[in-house]
Amino acid sequence: MSLKNRLNRKNLKRGIVFASKVGDFVENSIGKVMEDKNKLADEIPEKPENMKWYRVSLDKGLSGDGSEYYIYVKKADPKKLCIFFSGGGVAWNEYTAARPVTGGKVAAGLPNYYWNNLRPFTQLMNINIGITDIASDKNPFKDWSFVVITYATGDFHVGNNDYPYKTEDGKDDILHFHGYVNFLESMKVAKELIPAPDKLLIAGNSAGAFAVPALAGEIIDDYYPNARSITVFSDSGQLLYKNWRKTAKNIWRSKDSIWRSIHSDNITLDWYKELFRKYGDKIRYLYSSSDRDYLLSAYYNDIINKKYETDQDVQEDYYNQLIEMVHELKEITPAFGIFINNWKIPLITMGGTVHTSVRELHFTAFTQDGISMAKWLSDAVDGKVYDVGMDLLSNSKNKTKKRRNLGKK
């Protein structure tokens, strides 16, 4: 290796280390400010106030690294309840298990796959933003009761396993895939606080979007069988991987009914097929995505090419796969409501489009075809289901047929 190349590599390594330290510093600083200024949600009292977010610590809950686990709840209208599954990445093998998210890794562009604990910073992703915003009158779900099932287990909320792995520095560790246990404990709290809603919205973003069709049936049958209006909504839940069934069965140790319903590389689609088979038109079904999701395309690139990064080519693959996914969702039922957008945020979406919108500022602020996601979702839970942004997926039949073969690698 030439002297110039050695110097370039050394400088690159220094740059990564510096960026990593800066990222960790920023995250820790934000967390400390939140603590110092008493911005963290209070632990729920015996008599909680309405329209206030609380933290509920679950004794039997566990985060991926073995630390405490808690959820967020808000009591408001007792007849309108949203069970919201939070996102936060996924671990599907030992390599990804060894690389949880930190602010430093994000800033340095290093592989980081899932949040393995709950810390002050993660509150920013869970409450008081988008659909969970209680300050903005533009949020049509402001007066709904909420149970936010937080996520720090890397298993799409369906795991029940203690998974041994080696850390990046070669040490033995365990990732607690306890998402399903956390879900069950969370639902006990939900049932106690909001026992009998008329309207039920089961929603989730990113990793939580995958959980929605996997767990909605249990929510309906075991906790809210008398809800008269039920809507399920997944925001950004597309990640093709041929080994999902093996992962759910052998790594996450999901219960049989969950892993047995996986038959393809599209885990979300398989779970929705099973959900519709059981409940049919009893439920309203909704799905949303941006057309070239910068983050999910990076995950897909890692699965296919072992490169945790996004670029125009892999974003185009995502787009092609999305065309097929929407087509197949509509084959489940033509009444499946779809919201597609092409929103971009400079310096964040890396040439692609946004990853999730339901719990972002642009839930109410951005529009597609003149309609915000907030408006579309509010109409849907009131019984008016329609599609937005479908022109973004318009192609000739021949092109669409060709694209349906992509992602089956």
Side-chain angles (χ1 to χ4, degrees), residues 178-251:
H178 280 219
Y180 184 68
V181 179
N182 292 344
F183 158 70
L184 293 178
E185 293 301 306
S186 299
M187 289 310 303
K188 292 177 184 177
V189 174
K191 184 64 175 178
E192 182 178 349
L193 287 176
I194 313 294
D198 287 333
K199 280 188 175 182
L200 177 63
L201 171 62
I202 304 169
N205 66 333
S206 195
F210 296 83
V212 168
L215 298 173
E218 286 189 58
I219 295 173
I220 295 167
D221 289 347
D222 298 342
Y223 301 94
Y224 299 112
N226 297 320
R228 293 186 298 176
S229 172
I230 304 172
T231 306
V232 296
F233 170 43
S234 292
D235 179 12
S236 306
Q238 175 185 288
L239 182 59
L240 304 188
Y241 177 44
K242 65 181 181 181
N243 291 324
W244 279 133
R245 184 181 173 103
K246 291 180 179 178
T247 297
K249 179 183 179 182
N250 301 322
I251 296 178

Side-chain angles (χ1 to χ4, degrees), residues 350-376:
M350 303 180 189
T353 51
V354 298
H355 173 61
T356 81
S357 300
V358 67
R359 230 171 19 170
E360 305 287 345
L361 294 173
H362 43 271
F363 176 63
T364 57
F366 290 7
T367 62
Q368 191 71 41
D369 298 343
I371 300 171
S372 69
M373 179 177 283
K375 167 66 173 171
W376 170 79

Side-chain angles (χ1 to χ4, degrees), residues 29-269:
S29 297
I30 292 174
K32 189 174 187 307
V33 168
M34 292 173 68
E35 290 179 303
D36 291 345
K37 293 187 176 296
N38 199 28
K39 296 296 183 181
L40 299 180
D42 295 330
E43 190 72 22
I44 192 167
E46 185 176 343
K47 294 183 179 180
E49 300 175 23
N50 280 358
M51 295 299 293
K52 181 176 180 180
W53 283 108
Y54 292 102
R55 184 177 68 251
V56 182
S57 298
L58 302 181
D59 292 338
K60 295 182 180 179
L62 198 66
S63 291
D65 66 355
S67 60
E68 66 172 336
Y69 177 81
Y70 49 84
I71 61 175
Y72 295 101
V73 301
K74 182 195 74 175
K75 290 189 69 175
D77 189 332
K79 294 301 181 182
K80 296 186 289 187
L81 172 63
C82 176
I83 303 292
F84 195 96
F85 289 98
S86 290
V90 60
W92 60 87
N93 55 25
E94 186 171 12
Y95 178 84
T96 53
R99 289 159 176 80
V101 175
T102 66
K105 287 181 179 178
V106 173
L110 296 172
N112 60 100
Y113 297 94
Y114 68 103
W115 295 85
N116 68 346
N117 58 40
L118 299 171
R119 44 200 191 256
F121 183 83
T122 59
Q123 180 175 295
L124 298 175
M125 302 180 294
N126 279 292
I127 59 174
N128 287 318
I129 188 166
I131 195 174
T132 61
D133 188 353
I134 60 175
S136 174
D137 290 332
K138 293 182 179 180
N139 176 18
F141 296 88
K142 178 180 178 180
D143 66 337
W144 281 55
S145 295
F146 270 81
V147 174
V148 174
I149 303 177
T150 55
Y151 180 66
T153 50
D155 56 9
F156 290 163
H157 294 272
V158 299
N160 189 19
N161 187 29
D162 295 309
Y163 180 70
Y165 70 95
K166 288 193 178 294
T167 64
E168 287 186 87
D169 55 4
K171 296 179 181 178
D172 291 328
D173 208 338
I174 292 177
L175 172 50
H176 301 280
F177 287 125
H178 280 219
Y180 184 68
V181 179
N182 292 344
F183 158 70
L184 293 178
E185 293 301 306
S186 299
M187 289 310 303
K188 292 177 184 177
V189 174
K191 184 64 175 178
E192 182 178 349
L193 287 176
I194 313 294
D198 287 333
K199 280 188 175 182
L200 177 63
L201 171 62
I202 304 169
N205 66 333
S206 195
F210 296 83
V212 168
L215 298 173
E218 286 189 58
I219 295 173
I220 295 167
D221 289 347
D222 298 342
Y223 301 94
Y224 299 112
N226 297 320
R228 293 186 298 176
S229 172
I230 304 172
T231 306
V232 296
F233 170 43
S234 292
D235 179 12
S236 306
Q238 175 185 288
L239 182 59
L240 304 188
Y241 177 44
K242 65 181 181 181
N243 291 324
W244 279 133
R245 184 181 173 103
K246 291 180 179 178
T247 297
K249 179 183 179 182
N250 301 322
I251 296 178
W252 298 341
R253 299 283 177 88
S254 303
K255 70 175 189 174
D256 286 358
S257 61
I258 288 178
W259 69 260
R260 288 186 186 278
S261 59
I262 303 169
H263 304 288
S264 74
D265 58 0
N266 192 329
I267 193 171
T268 312
L269 183 65

Side-chain angles (χ1 to χ4, degrees), residues 385-399:
V385 177
Y386 52 88
D387 300 331
V388 173
M390 294 293 277
D391 287 348
L392 295 173
L393 305 181
S394 61
N395 284 279
S396 71
K397 293 182 180 179
N398 289 336
K399 288 183 179 180

